[in-house]
Amino acid sequence: MIEEEYIRLIFGLKLKQIRTEKNLSLFGLAKVTGLSKSYLNEIEKGKKYPKRDKILLLSEALDSTYDQMVSLKLDKNLAPIGEILQSRILKEIPLDIFGIKESNLIDIIAEAPIKVNAFISTLFEIAKHYNLTRESFFLAALRSYQEANNNYFDDVEQKVEQFAKAYSLDLTTKLNVQDLEEILVEEYGYTINNQELTEHEELVYLRSVFVPKSKTLLISKSADVSQRMFIYAKEIAYNYMEISDRLYTFSWIKFESFDQVLNNFYASYFAGALLIPRKELVKELKLFFEQKTFNPDEFTSLIAKFTDSPETFYQRLTNVLSKDFNLKNLFFLRFNYKPERNDFQLTKELHITNLLEPHANENNEHYCRRWVSIKTLSAIPNSGENHLFDTQISSYNHTDNEYFVLSSATKDPFRNGYYRSIALGIMISSHSQSKLQFLDDETIKRKKVGVTCESCSIEDCLERAAPPKKIERKQRFEKIDKVVQELMEKYS
């Protein structure tokens, strides 16, 4: 059944289109029809739908027919707008979390439908060019939401503290898996099944499946303690925060709405905050940041004090660094790597201040091999180490930006034969130098880096994996333009 709202919007858009084609103002249409200007304005904005006698009056004044006026068929100029309205995408994304009212967007569409159509068509073309899926669109929206809030959510932090108090959990000590499992079983009525997933070859990459009807949590036998604790903590989050619209697998396979993506994020945030309590982490970081030199062993020991998962630790850093140290110029990257393919894939990213570099690239370009996250990832398969850690001060060759980057590479916990690296970048500034005393440590490696090989102008780069095609193309066009300008002057 087509919604009344959609019918009102389409009628309003068509009315405005026909009226403007006739070079008739709202005032002029009101005069020839006897209808008030404010009433016609509300019709065009999709807020009201006229009765049959009013439609007949309008069609006669606009030299149209009743059937043409009420038809939901749109011409090519308005068709893309009809598609986006009928797709319900405005309903799927909770615009209110960005402080946007759906009615405001509708007003913009109604105000300039042709221009908005051109904009929407451009977005569709870009989306098709980069193979942008519904999932990637929603994940991009989630990243924007995180970045807009500096990836810190005080309401969830408070929920964690309330939960710990209610269940007598001591957040000054490291939690154990038995504590969380007991809460799931005794308090929320869960049944834990450690066998079922291993019997299905298709589910080898899943770590858990939750069956809501029986409250059965199926967990892979290959899940290690840190993974199991994170899964338990997420399940506790869903229950304690009373989230019903949720995903049932970890890792996720599909989702039905943006709300599920957002709720999955909230549950993950709760889990990270429970496993790595903010107050204890901030206390330890303050002590570490006061040191004049950077000690890699002490940093990896700091990770181990809270969790066996570097990714969980780095993610948690993006929460507390922005809030408690006012370090907001941060980026977080996760790369996946399979040695046989020699292919580095950026599978997760977050930019707290939405800086331009480094971002994921959808053109199959080669990420800069000088990045410390790529180096640790390249080295770990033959290192014999379970966790390979390194740091670097990276200077981007085309900007004035410098970042202190920490990187941890480990085996991919979800896929055999794969490896992953996590990187956290902190922009170097007078403020970050005042907070992190060791940034002046001259023993920290420094490296000039690019973004991708294809767009990098660094000469004689031994790590280059592909020729600088974009730079060469730009230089070629500059030479052509120079000669053209000389000819213009010569024959002027």
Side-chain angles (χ1 to χ4, degrees):
M1 214 173 161
I2 299 176
E3 289 188 29
E4 290 183 11
E5 183 182 28
Y6 174 74
I7 296 174
R8 291 200 307 270
L9 288 169
I10 294 301
F11 185 88
L13 289 171
K14 292 184 71 174
L15 175 61
K16 183 168 185 175
Q17 183 186 41
I18 295 171
R19 175 179 64 76
T20 53
E21 286 175 351
K22 302 288 184 182
N23 293 317
L24 196 60
S25 67
L26 267 179
F27 178 86
L29 183 59
K31 194 168 184 179
V32 296
T33 59
L35 303 174
S36 72
K37 180 182 173 183
S38 60
Y39 176 65
L40 291 172
N41 186 48
E42 287 188 313
I43 293 174
E44 289 193 354
K45 290 189 174 183
K47 295 178 180 178
K48 288 187 177 179
Y49 192 87
K51 292 182 179 180
R52 178 181 172 83
D53 60 327
K54 302 282 193 309
I55 297 174
L56 288 170
L57 198 62
L58 288 167
S59 60
E60 183 178 346
L62 295 169
D63 194 24
S64 184
T65 67
Y66 179 87
D67 289 341
Q68 286 175 332
M69 295 290 290
V70 300
S71 171
L72 294 177
K73 187 176 181 180
L74 297 170
D75 65 22
K76 65 179 182 179
N77 289 326
L78 293 178
I81 293 176
E83 288 176 16
I84 200 169
L85 292 174
Q86 200 167 27
S87 72
R88 296 183 55 83
I89 196 162
L90 298 182
K91 297 288 187 186
E92 288 193 48
I93 299 179
L95 296 168
D96 56 298
I97 70 172
F98 296 101
I100 301 172
K101 292 182 179 180
E102 184 182 340
S103 58
N104 292 344
L105 286 184
I106 299 303
D107 285 347
I108 293 171
I109 292 173
E111 190 64 32
I114 304 302
K115 292 180 180 179
V116 173
N117 164 52
F119 177 67
I120 292 171
S121 298
T122 301
L123 291 181
F124 283 167
E125 284 300 312
I126 293 172
K128 285 187 289 185
H129 183 70
Y130 288 102
N131 297 317
L132 185 64
T133 63
R134 181 171 176 267
E135 287 82 1
S136 57
F137 178 81
F138 282 152
L139 292 174
L142 174 63
R143 283 198 302 274
S144 297
Y145 177 55
Q146 291 176 256
E147 291 162 1
N149 289 277
N150 295 320
N151 203 32
Y152 179 82
F153 297 86
D154 195 59
D155 54 339
V156 183
E157 299 279 351
Q158 291 181 26
K159 288 279 188 184
V160 169
E161 292 191 6
Q162 292 166 7
F163 170 78
K165 184 177 181 180
Y167 288 87
S168 300
L169 295 176
D170 183 4
L171 294 185
T172 64
T173 61
K174 193 173 181 179
L175 297 176
N176 63 66
V177 71
Q178 289 77 22
D179 291 334
L180 301 185
E181 183 171 315
E182 185 179 11
I183 291 171
L184 281 179
V185 174
E186 298 297 330
E187 181 69 13
Y188 297 118
Y190 274 48
T191 299
I192 310 294
N193 183 315
N194 298 301
Q195 188 61 38
E196 182 70 29
L197 289 188
T198 61
E199 298 177 4
H200 302 272
E201 186 179 346
E202 299 85 354
L203 307 183
V204 65
Y205 294 127
L206 289 184
R207 287 299 172 265
S208 69
V209 176
F210 178 63
V211 184
K213 285 188 177 180
S214 62
K215 286 193 171 182
T216 301
L217 182 61
L218 310 175
I219 295 188
S220 171
K221 286 175 65 176
S222 61
D224 60 29
V225 173
S226 63
Q227 293 165 6
R228 188 175 288 265
M229 287 188 71
F230 191 80
I231 292 166
Y232 286 168
K234 276 189 72 173
E235 290 300 324
I236 287 171
Y238 282 129
N239 285 273
Y240 188 74
M241 294 196 292
E242 299 180 345
I243 296 173
S244 56
D245 191 7
R246 52 161 293 181
L247 303 176
Y248 295 108
T249 64
F250 179 71
S251 303
W252 63 267
I253 303 171
K254 63 176 182 177
F255 44 75
E256 305 299 331
S257 67
F258 181 78
D259 279 343
Q260 289 183 350
V261 178
L262 187 61
N263 289 337
N264 179 68
F265 164 71
Y266 284 143
S268 297
Y269 190 104
F270 182 102
L274 179 62
L275 299 177
I276 306 179
R278 174 186 163 204
K279 290 179 182 177
E280 290 302 306
L281 177 59
V282 169
K283 183 172 67 176
E284 293 289 345
L285 288 174
K286 283 181 178 178
L287 292 173
F288 187 81
F289 290 167
E290 288 173 358
Q291 298 181 33
K292 298 295 184 181
T293 58
F294 184 87
N295 188 317
D297 292 334
E298 285 189 25
F299 186 79
T300 53
S301 295
L302 181 60
I303 296 176
K305 184 172 183 176
F306 289 96
T307 178
D308 296 326
S309 169
E311 180 169 1
T312 302
F313 187 81
Y314 282 51
Q315 284 272 24
R316 191 66 176 130
L317 287 180
T318 66
N319 307 141
V320 301
L321 290 181
S322 62
K323 173 63 178 178
D324 296 284
F325 297 89
N326 199 29
L327 294 171
K328 297 178 181 178
N329 292 322
L330 306 173
F331 68 74
F332 171 94
L333 305 176
R334 183 182 71 199
F335 281 94
N336 279 14
Y337 174 56
K338 188 173 178 63
E340 289 84 349
R341 297 178 183 173
N342 195 29
D343 180 30
F344 299 91
Q345 292 186 332
L346 183 51
T347 56
K348 195 169 187 177
E349 62 176 325
L350 186 67
H351 300 263
I352 302 301
T353 49
N354 202 25
L355 296 170
L356 294 179
E357 257 84 61
H359 270 288
N361 183 278
E362 300 295 339
N363 291 325
N364 296 318
E365 294 183 14
H366 297 75
Y367 295 107
C368 179
R369 272 30 179 184
R370 294 182 171 209
W371 288 353
V372 66
S373 50
I374 298 292
K375 287 190 170 185
T376 55
L377 199 48
S378 301
I380 192 169
N382 300 316
S383 69
E385 300 286 340
N386 293 323
H387 176 193
L388 196 60
F389 173 77
D390 203 356
T391 60
Q392 177 176 295
I393 292 180
S394 297
S395 305
Y396 281 84
N397 70 318
H398 61 296
T399 72
D400 295 326
N401 295 336
E402 281 191 324
Y403 293 88
F404 172 66
V405 186
L406 308 110
S407 177
S408 287
T410 61
K411 287 184 177 180
D412 191 317
F414 305 115
R415 294 187 292 177
N416 291 329
Y418 283 80
Y419 297 83
R420 64 168 50 178
S421 72
I422 310 300
L424 178 75
I426 303 171
M427 181 181 279
I428 297 177
S429 64
S430 57
H431 174 68
S432 61
Q433 286 174 321
S434 70
K435 294 292 184 180
L436 282 63
Q437 298 297 307
F438 54 74
L439 286 182
D440 293 326
D441 182 358
E442 294 183 358
T443 64
I444 299 174
K445 294 190 295 290
R446 294 177 176 269
K447 198 78 171 177
K448 187 173 284 293
V449 302
V451 178
T452 65
C453 292
E454 286 80 354
S455 62
C456 181
S457 61
I458 297 177
E459 297 180 359
D460 302 321
C461 176
L462 299 177
E463 295 93 340
R464 182 178 290 282
K469 294 187 295 184
K470 286 189 173 180
I471 298 296
E472 292 171 350
R473 183 171 179 267
K474 181 182 178 182
Q475 291 173 344
R476 187 169 66 252
F477 283 172
E478 286 175 349
K479 289 179 180 178
I480 293 172
D481 183 58
K482 182 181 178 182
V483 175
V484 169
Q485 293 301 321
E486 290 173 353
L487 291 175
M488 295 287 284
E489 291 178 8
K490 180 178 180 179
Y491 290 96
S492 292

